[in-house]
Amino acid sequence: MDIQKIRGDFPIFERRINGKPIVYFDSAATTQKPRQVIDTLSNYYANHCANIHRGVHTLSQESSELYEEARRTVARFINADEREIVFVRNTTEAINLVSTCLKGEGQILSTVTEHHSNLLPWGRSREVDYVDIDAHGRIDVEDLKEKLQKPTLLVAVTHVSNVLGLINPVEAVIAEARKNGAFVLVDAAQSAPHMEIDVKAMGCDFLVFSGHKMLAPSGIGVLYVREELYERMEPYLMGGSTIKEAHLGSYVPEEPPTCYEAGTPNIEGAIALAAAIDYLNDIGMDNVLAHDKALMALALERMKAIDNVELYGSLDPTDRLSVITFNVKGMGCHGVAKVLNLRENIMIRSGFHCAQPLHDRLGIGPTARMSFYIYNTAEEIELAAELLGKIAEFIEI
């Protein structure tokens, strides 16, 4: 894995701010885009732009085939059937779609470690309970077992925490849910960009992720639905693309997944997502994961050595993926983020990271978060650790 060659594919890293390069440690929020993805978007607009599934002319046929080939690319990426792939705007829309369309009785089990998008949609019309975390910050499977004693329709669980970066035991969660007749939705927004996902081996019923966190544009996401589950769902958006025929007072719906993609979809976004997947596959997801692990191990080693820096979650690098959250004692996280940005263009996230209940559970306020991806280097981590050391030394406790 040639990191410098990879960095050369990203135009953003050619930019200089105040004469210094950008150190981008905010990929858990959104990733930068390689030329291959940017060029795919430009090529679509320049050569193939047309609406899909509605025309017999050349451009419409080309656009439709590119869109459906993108669906097949996504399906192969997670070992699904193309009919099980619904294109949506993002992870948030995918979860809202399931929460609205899935029919059945029983409570929803979420967890205290979830992103707001995997918490708030479930509570609008259903009873929701929340599984706790263990001493390391991962989902407490024993607490899950206890809460599953009550009739449960679905367990909604994040694969990798966007705050602690911890890899949750989703296989164990799915196994326990199965014993109790519950479905499982896996939020893979923070895992799909970094590791191989096999929905068949995992055994989940639904899996969701966003393109913008894995090199693709914003506004395109994926909902995987185990095919049998379509029988338990009803589309909630109606109109163009969702029907085979319509009459005053009656209609004939399209088959899934098309009936869940109302209106003109983000055609170019889906095609660019396929290009992003091709890019990651060319690198190899095993290599992506190994690079992540190496960066995480180095970051933990350097940051543990800094006095007055408090790290959250397990400090074992084998438990974590891409995200490290911390605070400098005596200094607010937003102040830390501003100093890193102003001094060395080190760009991190600060706040609650759309997971305020987890911060409440940990008994902490907002935090600083660094997150890494394929274009980050050991040298960047060394630079950040050096500057954090100076900040922490300067602050009087």
Side-chain angles (χ1 to χ4, degrees), residues 55-83:
V56 297
H57 62 76
T58 299
L59 291 181
S60 181
Q61 292 293 302
E62 289 177 350
S63 188
S64 298
E65 176 54 31
L66 288 168
Y67 183 79
E68 292 305 329
E69 179 56 33
R71 194 191 307 275
R72 291 189 284 270
T73 297
V74 171
R76 289 190 295 269
F77 186 64
I78 61 172
N79 191 29
D81 183 86
E82 63 185 276
R83 192 168 180 267

Side-chain angles (χ1 to χ4, degrees), residues 50-121:
N51 215 326
I52 60 171
H53 302 157
R54 301 173 188 174
V56 297
H57 62 76
T58 299
L59 291 181
S60 181
Q61 292 293 302
E62 289 177 350
S63 188
S64 298
E65 176 54 31
L66 288 168
Y67 183 79
E68 292 305 329
E69 179 56 33
R71 194 191 307 275
R72 291 189 284 270
T73 297
V74 171
R76 289 190 295 269
F77 186 64
I78 61 172
N79 191 29
D81 183 86
E82 63 185 276
R83 192 168 180 267
E84 299 174 311
I85 301 301
V86 180
F87 284 125
V88 291
R89 287 180 298 169
N90 45 44
T91 300
T92 300
E93 183 181 24
I95 295 170
N96 274 271
L97 190 155
V98 176
S99 73
T100 302
C101 298
L102 181 64
K103 308 305 176 184
E105 300 299 322
Q107 68 173 347
I108 302 294
L109 283 182
S110 188
T111 84
V112 299
T113 192
E114 302 302 315
H115 189 283
H116 295 161
S117 293
N118 206 18
L119 289 172
L120 300 178

Side-chain angles (χ1 to χ4, degrees), residues 175-380:
E176 292 302 325
R178 283 283 177 271
K179 293 177 186 176
N180 292 273
F183 302 121
V184 178
L185 179 144
V186 174
D187 176 357
Q190 297 295 338
S191 58
H194 300 274
M195 61 193 296
E196 183 177 350
I197 299 289
D198 184 333
V199 293
K200 303 303 186 197
M202 185 185 291
C204 59
D205 301 291
F206 306 95
L207 184 131
V208 299
F209 59 94
S210 295
H212 72 94
K213 296 181 188 295
M214 51 186 294
L215 309 180
S218 57
I220 188 68
V222 173
L223 165 63
Y224 158 79
V225 180
R226 184 164 58 83
E227 189 165 357
E228 295 84 351
L229 268 293
Y230 283 131
E231 298 178 0
R232 298 286 298 267
M233 299 170 64
E234 293 181 8
Y236 75 110
L237 292 177
M238 300 298 294
S241 300
T242 65
I243 53 93
K244 293 179 180 178
E245 58 181 84
H247 310 280
L248 295 179
S250 66
Y251 66 91
V252 178
E254 267 289 359
E255 298 297 321
T258 308
C259 61
Y260 292 96
E261 297 176 358
T264 298
N266 186 351
I267 304 165
E268 59 272 42
I271 296 167
L273 172 58
I277 289 173
D278 288 342
Y279 186 88
L280 290 170
N281 282 335
D282 285 344
I283 294 172
M285 293 308 294
D286 287 346
N287 292 325
V288 172
L289 179 61
H291 181 64
D292 267 5
K293 291 289 190 180
L295 292 179
M296 178 56 64
L298 176 63
L300 285 173
E301 179 185 353
R302 293 292 184 266
M303 294 182 70
K304 284 191 295 186
I306 303 173
D307 291 337
N308 297 334
V309 167
E310 185 173 8
L311 303 174
Y312 303 106
S314 170
L315 300 183
D316 183 347
T318 62
D319 292 339
R320 306 180 72 119
L321 193 65
S322 76
V323 172
I324 184 167
T325 305
F326 65 97
N327 271 320
V328 175
K329 296 177 182 177
M331 187 175 188
C333 62
H334 301 302
V336 173
K338 287 179 180 178
V339 172
L340 290 173
N341 183 64
L342 291 172
R343 289 288 299 273
E344 296 292 347
N345 295 332
I346 299 171
M347 300 177 184
I348 69 169
R349 183 68 43 163
S350 55
F352 288 110
H353 320 300
C354 296
Q356 193 164 357
L358 177 57
H359 286 75
D360 292 344
R361 170 63 178 81
L362 296 172
I364 58 177
T367 55
R369 183 184 73 183
M370 294 194 300
S371 52
F372 315 123
Y373 206 33
I374 54 175
Y375 36 65
N376 292 123
T377 68
E379 291 76 16
E380 290 177 323

Side-chain angles (χ1 to χ4, degrees), residues 21-38:
I22 292 170
V23 178
Y24 188 75
F25 283 166
D26 197 21
S27 292
T30 200
T31 57
Q32 298 301 328
K33 319 305 177 191
R35 284 190 178 87
Q36 290 85 339
V37 171
I38 297 169

